[in-house]
Every structure is written in structure tokens, then in C-alpha cells.
Amino acid sequence: MNPVILAAQDPTLADFGKDPWWLVLIKIVFAFAFGLLATLLGVWFERRVVGRMAVRPGPNQAGPFGLLQTLADGLKMAFKEDILPRAADKVVFFFAPTISVICAVTALSVVPFGPMVSIFGHHTPLQVTDVSVAVLVILACSSMGIYGIVLGGWASGSTYPLLGGLRSSAQMISYEVAMGLSIVAVFMTAGTMSTSGIVAAQGDATQLTIAGQQIPAPGWYAILLLPSFIIFFIAMVGETNRAPFDLPEAESELVAGFMTEYSSLKFALFMLSEYVSMVTMSAVTTTLFLGGWRAPWPITLWSGANSGWWPMLWFFGKVIALVFVFVWLRGTLPRLRYDQFMRFGWKVLLPINLVWILVLSGLRSIEDWQTRDRLLATAIGAGVLLLATLFWPSRKKAPKVPLQEQVNSRPHGSFPLPPMDLQVPPSPRTKRVVAEREPANVVAGSESGEV
């Protein structure tokens, strides 16, 4: 078989499980190194980009362009005093940060970095492993990461970390639901839960029939399933605790939240887990919605764009672009209030997601119909949806009662009210004393003896 043709093909589930142990070890080390190195560079990248947005230089002293600043910060944290609260559960307090980091790194094991390539004479996919339910593995790792935050807040034996941990669990579980529902549309369109299968499904351009003509459309699900992509990205930002959804570590409210009592390397692991999750979810978004390792147009005009080792370059470019969006949001948007954040997840994202899945299911169920019947069914469905939107009952606001009527309707013996005109009257028990002073315009050189 021609090795060039083999290297350019999409991997399937049958291509996994045949590698020697040393090749599997190389893949595991590469995935771990990618997560760790991308995290270290991600911290530097965020500080540099936010510095540029704030018209300041950012880190520029340690190493060229400040590249060693993150390493220096890590060494500084390692030599700081490790404080253990007296009331803390020592075992859980120690393992909580490692749970968050391990779960975030594990999700990279099912992310495809490229197609079939040749490594030391072995033809193998650029992916650690793949299973028929690989996306569920990613969701499971993301859900397990919640335990690290909850246990870290509980094991600290302090009030503020406990409140931060409970609030974090409510936030992450809420947005986990929206994230899971947004992936349902990807399953329905691709027909598989395998990550390599989803990337392969996005490689074929969608053919649209307009006036009897076959017109190729983009194959990326970020375009074909735009509502799912928007909802998934918003839920991803909330899931990774990034601004403007960084409520678990709201300094002004919870004194740094669930990791208030952490210091030294344990605190560094919590901070590291946030950036690992950001890089991992960017890689997952690239896989599910942005064509994975496949080159974007117009690079696809080159016949060798999606073969060999070139696809890794396109994959890393997409991941860096998504990380930049994370940083962009942090430097632009203010933090939301907690009730607004939870209301947005349950009352906005969830209903829109359910309606979109229902609409997509209806469109897929009429794919085999005639063109006229499909247009008629689509028009009827759109009309019903429009009428439901227009005539949906809304909550009427109660008429606003004038302020003076509210004051007059207060029962006898109520608490005293402050003045409505914001003018504080002087206390009747305080006598106003006005100091008498001599005029200050004393002529220079006068013989007056007054002081």
C-alpha cells in the first residue's frame, strides 16, 4: 500500500489498539507535554495580551519577551510556605487540587491531533485513543473536575471556601447541562460519538441543492450548527470558571472563593487546572465544531494540506485562536452577578437549546421528502414558531405606586423613614455653635498685638 495515501486517510476505530507499548507511551507523554506546555505559555500569553489591551507592556523581564516569567512564578510558588489550616481534612485537602488537574489532562487522551502518520515505520493516528463514546469521556472528565473544587472548599474547614465550593458546584453543574445538550446536535449530524469520526464527518462538504444545482457548503459544525456552537462556547466559558463567569473566585465577595486557604504548590495546581481546562476545552471545541485538524479554506486548495504532519499546525492554530478569545473576554467584559449568571444558564441557554434540538430533529426527519413538501413543512413550522413567540404570555408589571402614597400607606408604628429629598435635617438636640473670628485681611507691618 502506498504510504502517502495511507498517511492522508482519516483514522477509524479499527486503527486504534494496534500500536506497540512504546508508541502508546510516546503519545501519552506528548499529550501530557502539550497540556503542560500550552498551559505555561497560556499564562504568559494572557498576561501579554491583557497588557497590550491595557496599554502596558506585561511581563518582559524574565527571558526573551518575558517567556520565562511563568516558570519563575512557578518556582516562586514552590518555595513559599505551605500552610495547612488546623480544621482542614488533611487527606482531602491535599488531593483536591490534583483531581482538577488530572481530569483536565485526561480529556486530551481522546482528542485527535492529526490524521494517520508514520512514526518509526508504524502507521498510527495522531491520537492517544478513541472509543465509540469518546465525547462522553470528555464530558465525564469535565464533570469529575467539579469534585476537585467542591472538595477543596469543604476540606479547608473554613466558611468562605465552603461557600465558594458550593457556589462553584451549582455553577458548573448548571452549565454542564447546557454543554451536554449543545453536543446532541453534533451527534445527530455526524452520526457518531467518536471524536475521530466527528472530524471525518466535517471533512466532507455539505451539498446544498438550490434550483437543481449542487452547491458545496462549509462542513464545519460551527457554521452548520451555529446555535449549538454559540451555546457550547458560552457554557464552556462558564464551565472553566473564566471571566465574565469567574464567580467561584470572586475576590470582592468570597475572598478568592474555594481556594482561599490554599498556598504554595497546592494553590499553583488550582491555578494550573484552570488553564489546563481552558486549553483542553479549546481543543475539544476545535474537534467538535471547527473541523479538528483539517485545514481551513483557502489552505484546503493545496492537495497536501490535510496529510502528513501539517494538520497539527492547523490544529494548534485553531486552539490558539480560541485561547485568544478567552483572554479577549477577560479583558473586555465585567463579572456578572451570581443570580444573573444562574438565570442566564437555566432560563435562556437551556430553553433555546431544547428548541434548537427540536427544530433540528424536525429538519432531519423530512430530509427524504420532496423539495416542495420540505419547503411547505419548514414554512408551517416557522409560522407556528413565530406565532408562539408573538403571542407568548408575558408577565405584566404591576403599576408603579407613587412614593408619597407608599409612605402614607405604611402602618402605624413602622420604622422611621429618611427624608425623601435627601436633605438631612439638623438634630433638634444639637445647638449650633458659630465661632466668631476676626477678619483675616490684616495689613502687613501693623502694630497690632493680636494673635
Side-chain angles (χ1 to χ4, degrees):
M1 183 178 293
N2 189 351
V4 177
I5 297 177
L6 182 62
Q9 72 178 9
D10 292 302
T12 61
L13 292 177
D15 296 318
F16 294 92
K18 300 179 181 179
D19 299 329
W21 65 269
W22 55 267
L23 187 55
V24 175
L25 184 62
I26 290 176
K27 290 183 179 181
I28 293 174
V29 171
F30 172 77
F32 179 78
F34 165 73
L36 184 61
L37 185 61
T39 301
L40 294 177
L41 293 178
V43 178
W44 169 84
F45 180 76
E46 178 175 17
R47 296 176 67 181
R48 292 286 292 187
V49 172
V50 173
R52 180 62 61 91
M53 291 179 178
V55 197
R56 53 185 176 81
N60 60 355
Q61 298 297 316
F65 305 104
L67 283 170
L68 299 180
Q69 184 63 51
T70 306
L71 183 61
D73 291 340
L75 293 175
K76 179 182 68 175
M77 286 186 179
F79 288 102
K80 282 190 173 182
E81 182 181 3
D82 190 5
I83 300 174
L84 179 66
R86 181 177 301 175
D89 188 316
K90 297 179 177 57
V91 177
V92 181
F93 187 82
F94 175 80
F95 281 105
T98 60
I99 293 175
S100 299
V101 177
I102 291 174
C103 291
V105 176
T106 305
L108 289 173
S109 61
V110 292
V111 173
F113 293 90
M116 299 286 292
V117 296
S118 178
I119 301 179
F120 300 116
H122 291 270
H123 296 288
T124 179
L126 279 175
Q127 184 174 353
V128 177
T129 186
D130 194 11
V131 291
S132 57
V133 289
V135 180
L136 297 185
V137 174
I138 295 174
L139 290 178
C141 293
S142 177
S143 302
M144 288 294 294
I146 301 174
Y147 284 93
I149 292 178
V150 176
L151 293 176
W154 173 80
S156 298
S158 181
T159 305
Y160 283 115
L162 179 61
L163 292 176
L166 294 176
R167 194 163 77 166
S168 305
S169 61
Q171 165 185 334
M172 298 176 75
I173 291 173
S174 302
Y175 280 77
E176 189 83 24
V177 176
M179 179 185 294
L181 285 176
S182 61
I183 304 178
V184 172
V186 176
F187 299 159
M188 295 169 56
T189 308
T192 179
M193 293 186 184
S194 166
T195 50
S196 58
I198 292 174
V199 173
Q202 297 179 74
D204 300 327
T206 305
Q207 300 294 328
L208 299 179
T209 304
I210 300 178
Q213 299 291 329
Q214 293 286 339
I215 300 177
W220 288 7
Y221 291 153
I223 300 175
L224 298 178
L225 307 174
L226 183 61
S228 293
F229 173 66
I230 295 175
I231 294 173
F232 181 86
F233 190 83
I234 295 175
M236 178 180 66
V237 177
E239 183 74 10
T240 52
N241 301 328
R242 294 285 302 179
F245 303 147
D246 55 341
L247 275 304
E249 50 193 40
E251 296 88 352
S252 59
E253 304 166 26
L254 293 176
V255 202
F258 61 92
M259 54 175 144
T260 302
E261 303 293 345
Y262 280 88
S263 59
S264 189
L265 281 179
K266 298 186 184 69
F267 176 82
L269 283 178
F270 265 129
M271 190 182 72
L272 185 71
S273 66
E274 176 182 322
Y275 284 91
V276 172
S277 299
M278 181 174 65
V279 173
T280 301
M281 295 311 297
S282 298
V284 172
T285 306
T286 299
T287 301
L288 298 180
F289 292 98
L290 299 180
W293 44 263
R294 294 187 174 275
W297 188 89
I299 304 177
T300 51
L301 299 177
W302 172 38
S303 58
N306 292 323
S307 61
W309 296 87
W310 287 106
M312 290 187 65
L313 181 61
W314 323 136
F315 178 82
F316 293 151
K318 295 175 185 178
V319 171
I320 292 173
L322 288 175
V323 172
F324 172 77
V325 176
F326 272 104
V327 178
W328 191 6
L329 292 176
R330 178 165 189 168
T332 305
L333 300 178
R335 179 183 294 143
L336 269 70
R337 211 171 59 223
Y338 188 72
D339 59 325
Q340 296 173 337
F341 177 64
M342 297 299 289
R343 188 186 306 117
F344 180 69
W346 287 104
K347 294 187 177 181
V348 178
L349 294 184
L350 196 60
I352 292 178
N353 222 332
L354 293 174
V355 172
W356 165 242
I357 292 174
L358 181 64
V359 170
L360 186 63
S361 302
L363 293 176
R364 291 190 60 83
S365 64
I366 62 175
E367 282 183 346
D368 299 332
W369 292 12
Q370 298 292 331
T371 304
R372 180 178 177 182
D373 297 336
R374 280 187 294 174
L375 291 176
L376 182 61
T378 305
I380 293 175
V384 172
L385 184 61
L386 180 61
L387 291 176
T389 304
L390 292 176
F391 295 101
W392 189 267
S394 59
R395 184 184 301 175
K396 295 183 179 179
K397 294 183 179 180
K400 189 174 181 180
V401 181
L403 184 61
Q404 192 59 40
E405 293 186 12
Q406 298 180 31
V407 174
N408 297 335
S409 62
R410 298 173 76 247
H412 179 71
S414 300
F415 287 101
L417 285 177
M420 297 296 102
D421 56 357
L422 300 181
Q423 296 293 330
V424 181
S427 174
R429 288 179 258 179
T430 303
K431 296 182 179 179
R432 187 169 183 180
V433 179
V434 179
E436 300 292 339
R437 298 182 59 185
E438 292 292 334
N441 52 354
V442 180
V443 181
S446 62
E447 300 294 335
S448 175
E450 296 181 1
V451 178

